[in-house]
Amino acid sequence: MGYLAFFAAASASAIVRVKLAETLPSRGRVEPRKLAGAYADAVGVFFKLSPAVRWIIVLRMFLILCGLSMFYNFAIIYATRVIGLSFTQWGLAYAISSVAYVGMLLMRGVARRPAMYPLCILMEAASPLLLLLGTFESVAAALVLMSLGGGLAYSAERGIVASVTEPEMRGRAEALVGLSFGVGGALGAWLGGMAYAISPELIIYAPFCLMLAGSVGASFAVRALRGAGESQGRP
């Protein structure tokens, strides 16, 4: 229920952002009874966006963030019940993963190159497999790799959206990208629970497969981005 409540709140927030003043000639309030119409408007906005941005939204919603949510929500259960880590060790491993943000500063140039976007997602996809080694070090390494790949992919996505979206549409584009987080997170939590009930190892293999597919799909987003650049006369 907590995830459903978060999804509802995130969705409402995203829809409100669709009505940002930067995309409209005047300010206005969004009444609750008009939210259904706002959702319909969001669908219309989606099809007005660049193909590269549409690829990113769909990939995030149904593959990348779904797999990410599945892994993060159930990795702690796998690590403590199957591998045998204590909750203190899990907390330490999670804290160690914060060093990934230092790595992002050193690798910030990577995110500026759209061609690296699929590789960043591939980095995320590989990280759950490290849990199969069954050690504290492998769990910490998996979390570090996941954080690093996710942070770089997020930066690359924002750069792609900004590069192909007109200024008056960027608020709406960012709203839909944000909406994909809520949908992907809710799907991942739901599917992850069912997967773990079948077999604990599925919360390793399922996120790997989902994000691997997301990496392949990201190559099509990059190809669409190149096509947009060529049509506008950019190198």
Side-chain angles (χ1 to χ4, degrees):
M1 290 301 295
Y3 287 109
L4 291 176
F6 173 78
F7 167 64
S11 299
S13 175
I15 292 302
V16 168
R17 291 180 64 191
V18 171
K19 297 295 186 180
L20 284 175
E22 70 177 89
T23 62
L24 294 174
S26 60
R27 295 178 179 271
R29 297 183 61 184
V30 179
E31 300 177 8
R33 61 185 178 83
K34 294 182 179 180
L35 282 179
Y39 271 104
D41 181 49
V43 173
V45 169
F46 174 81
F47 287 104
K48 294 179 182 179
L49 297 174
S50 163
V53 179
R54 294 202 300 267
W55 267 107
I56 287 175
I57 292 171
V58 172
L59 290 173
R60 280 170 53 90
M61 190 177 297
F62 297 109
L63 294 176
I64 302 170
L65 291 178
C66 182
L68 191 68
S69 173
M70 186 181 298
F71 175 76
Y72 270 123
N73 281 298
F74 294 93
I76 181 175
I77 303 177
Y78 184 90
T80 54
R81 293 186 179 179
V82 179
I83 297 178
L85 266 62
S86 67
F87 289 110
T88 301
Q89 287 177 308
W90 169 264
L92 179 59
Y94 205 92
I96 291 173
S97 68
S98 63
V99 303
Y101 296 104
V102 178
M104 284 178 57
L105 294 176
L106 300 176
M107 300 175 64
R108 59 185 181 276
V110 173
R112 297 172 185 170
R113 301 169 58 187
M116 299 300 294
Y117 177 47
L119 295 180
C120 294
I121 300 174
L122 189 61
M123 188 186 302
E124 291 183 274
S127 56
L129 298 179
L130 291 173
L131 267 65
L132 295 173
L133 298 177
T135 65
F136 167 78
E137 292 78 10
S138 66
V139 172
L143 294 176
V144 168
L145 195 62
M146 180 71 79
S147 297
L148 182 60
L152 293 173
Y154 181 84
S155 298
E157 289 165 353
R158 287 304 186 270
I160 292 173
V161 171
S163 68
V164 296
T165 307
E166 297 297 328
E168 61 271 14
M169 287 290 291
R170 285 179 189 168
R172 295 184 176 190
E174 289 291 344
L176 291 177
V177 172
L179 180 62
S180 69
F181 177 83
V183 175
L187 284 175
W190 176 46
L191 295 176
M194 292 192 295
Y196 193 91
I198 296 172
S199 172
E201 284 71 23
L202 281 180
I203 62 95
I204 294 176
Y205 295 116
F208 166 72
C209 292
L210 285 170
M211 288 186 282
L212 181 63
S215 177
V216 175
S219 65
F220 289 97
V222 172
R223 186 178 303 177
L225 177 65
R226 290 172 178 169
E230 292 172 358
S231 66
Q232 295 176 16
R234 295 197 301 267

